[in-house]
Amino acid sequence: MIVSSTGAAAGQTDGRQGEDFATDAKLLYRVVACGGDAALPSNLDPTIVSRHCQQIKTRMARYRRVYLKRAGPFLAELRPRPLPDTVVYPFGGGDLLAALTTYPDARRITTLSLELSGDPRRVNTIDNKRLDESLDHIDHNVSGLLAANDSTTETLMDTQQGDLPGQLSYFLVALAVHGFEPVALRYFHVQPDGSLHYYSAADVQARETRVARARHGKWTSPDFSEAFANSELVFRPVGGGPLRIHRHIAANLRDDSLRQNGPILTYLRKQGHIVAMTKAASYCLWNPKFSRIRDYLLANMVFMISDSTGIPPEVARRAGFVEETYGSFKGAMCFDDCPNVGYSNQFRDLWASQPQRKLGFRYGYVDSKDSYHLLVTRRAPAAKL
């Protein structure tokens, strides 16, 4: 049995049982991610669902056949043994898909981003006209993630409203692609000591009329309750196997926001030694306004895979890390609006100083010349935690 960061068995709370939305999650998994062949409830037209499944299953199959076939073995060669089985993925949006591609043996995954998970219950009352429109919307939004291993800011903001929960739908599609199925779904908030309070049915009801707030002033405001911001999805291989946990925390990771939300960093530190990843992260880790999350990674991670939005070379070196480059990097795609142009030059020099190592797939952003690139950051042999 997996043990959670709070010391309880997977899917359980600190001595309290939260409301389990497993039935809703499994229905969404069937409808949105086309997992399994369970009968649909009478309010959902099977023809509409079947048409959606033909489209998304084609995209998922192509991801496995093309992207995963290339990226999976390559990434496996990069990962040393042993590694912690706990992943922290900041600025990760709905990208459980890439987390499972990068670290397929992970037992606990925490993603953090501006996006909230979403209310899983609306699928039970949706009419077929809205179902058809919503599935088309989901199919359009998830196509970028499955085709380019990336989602745009606009797409991610778009997940915050609608009849079907956008972020949760991304998570369930990721499970289906990688051969997993949902077992339990709970929602929580992080307490001052870093432990998790899982919402009971009464907790959810008490927050029902409190619409969630956007985690960034320019972000699309959610249209669901604050109770559905942070999710814990327990999953396993289809047909049975060890349980795993994905937690998503909706948070602005800027320093000023993390000062107000200190429990998030406390929760993260409770995870112990971790492996990390980030990609297509708007170069936030270059920005001094995100130093607290960067310092957390440097203090707790032993290994990281990223694109150039990872840890800048001089910062990594000062913290006792070495970096290894793959693909080609001639400059950051952010050009003049980079938070630190000097870091772009450092990365360019880093790539130039190392042997050319081929990279046959995209991992996050391309560089200023549209070239694929990937960065491995690991602790130098003499560095000790």
Side-chain angles (χ1 to χ4, degrees):
M1 178 81 61
I2 302 169
V3 177
S4 77
S5 63
T6 60
Q12 293 183 346
T13 70
D14 301 332
R16 290 185 59 188
Q17 187 72 27
E19 178 74 1
D20 188 357
F21 293 88
T23 300
D24 304 299
K26 291 174 182 179
L27 178 55
L28 283 165
Y29 178 73
R30 169 69 177 88
V31 172
V32 173
C34 303
D37 56 2
L40 296 169
S42 58
N43 67 303
L44 302 181
D45 184 344
T47 303
I48 294 172
V49 176
S50 177
R51 183 167 60 247
H52 161 71
C53 287
Q54 287 177 354
Q55 295 176 320
I56 200 166
K57 281 188 171 182
T58 298
R59 291 190 169 96
M60 291 192 293
R62 187 179 187 280
Y63 181 90
R64 296 187 198 101
R65 185 179 69 253
V66 177
Y67 190 86
L68 195 55
K69 186 176 181 180
R70 294 175 183 170
F74 185 93
L75 294 169
E77 288 294 319
L78 298 182
R79 295 188 300 268
R81 302 285 181 177
L83 279 177
D85 61 5
T86 300
V87 178
V88 172
Y89 182 2
F91 316 107
D95 202 12
L96 179 60
L97 180 70
L100 290 170
T101 296
T102 306
Y103 296 110
D105 297 327
R107 302 294 295 277
R108 293 181 299 179
I109 299 169
T110 297
T111 55
L112 305 101
S113 72
L114 295 170
E115 296 78 32
L116 288 65
S117 292
D119 186 342
R121 303 169 301 174
R122 295 176 181 178
V123 67
N124 295 293
T125 56
I126 193 171
D127 64 44
N128 284 309
K129 180 179 183 298
R130 297 193 344 257
L131 174 67
D132 197 13
E133 294 169 350
S134 297
L135 288 176
D136 280 346
H137 201 56
I138 292 285
D139 190 59
H140 171 76
N141 284 348
V142 82
S143 62
L145 191 62
L146 291 170
N149 197 229
D150 191 11
S151 294
T152 66
T153 296
E154 291 75 19
T155 296
L156 291 172
M157 286 196 291
D158 203 31
T159 66
Q160 298 302 276
Q161 296 186 354
D163 291 306
L164 299 176
Q167 285 292 288
L168 180 59
S169 295
Y170 276 27
F171 303 155
L172 295 171
V173 168
L175 296 190
V177 168
H178 285 280
F180 295 105
E181 62 185 2
V183 173
L185 174 65
R186 293 180 172 86
Y187 292 84
F188 64 87
H189 74 258
V190 185
Q191 301 190 106
D193 66 353
S195 63
L196 306 181
H197 171 82
Y198 293 81
Y199 290 134
S200 66
D203 290 332
V204 172
Q205 185 176 8
R207 291 162 175 78
E208 196 71 66
T209 59
R210 180 184 166 194
V211 178
R213 60 177 178 82
R215 274 25 180 193
H216 186 284
K218 296 182 180 179
W219 229 245
T220 300
S221 295
D223 64 357
F224 48 83
S225 165
E226 182 70 28
F228 299 106
N230 307 323
S231 61
E232 178 184 276
L233 185 61
V234 180
F235 60 99
R236 67 184 178 191
V238 171
L243 297 179
R244 306 187 186 197
I245 292 176
H246 168 241
R247 294 191 181 107
H248 179 71
I249 297 177
N252 188 329
L253 298 180
R254 282 174 58 113
D255 288 354
D256 52 356
S257 294
L258 281 182
R259 286 190 186 94
Q260 299 172 20
N261 294 285
I264 292 175
L265 282 177
T266 304
Y267 160 80
L268 290 174
R269 293 186 185 107
K270 283 191 169 189
Q271 307 308 298
H273 296 175
I274 62 158
V275 292
M277 62 178 290
T278 199
K279 62 183 185 65
S282 300
Y283 304 94
C284 290
L285 292 177
W286 297 19
N287 193 326
K289 295 179 180 179
F290 290 86
S291 63
R292 290 168 68 86
I293 188 66
R294 190 173 71 187
D295 289 346
Y296 158 76
L297 292 173
L298 291 169
N300 294 275
M301 74 184 197
V302 300
F303 183 81
M304 182 177 190
I305 295 178
S306 71
D307 59 3
S308 58
T309 65
I311 307 293
E314 72 173 26
V315 178
R317 184 168 55 251
R318 192 164 57 239
F321 287 85
V322 294
E323 294 184 310
E324 189 172 83
T325 61
Y326 295 85
S328 176
F329 184 84
K330 301 299 183 184
M333 61 178 287
C334 54
F335 299 107
D336 293 336
D337 61 344
C338 282
N340 189 322
V341 175
Y343 287 152
S344 179
N345 295 334
Q346 286 184 25
F347 273 119
R348 184 195 61 212
D349 293 344
L350 180 68
W351 255 266
S353 72
Q354 298 192 13
Q356 177 73 34
R357 301 180 182 98
K358 292 183 179 180
L359 181 66
F361 57 94
R362 178 174 173 172
Y363 195 85
Y365 288 154
V366 294
D367 77 342
S368 58
K369 302 296 183 182
D370 291 330
S371 297
Y372 299 160
H373 65 280
L374 180 146
L375 183 71
V376 169
T377 303
R378 68 180 84 218
R379 289 197 173 272
K384 301 293 183 181
L385 279 176

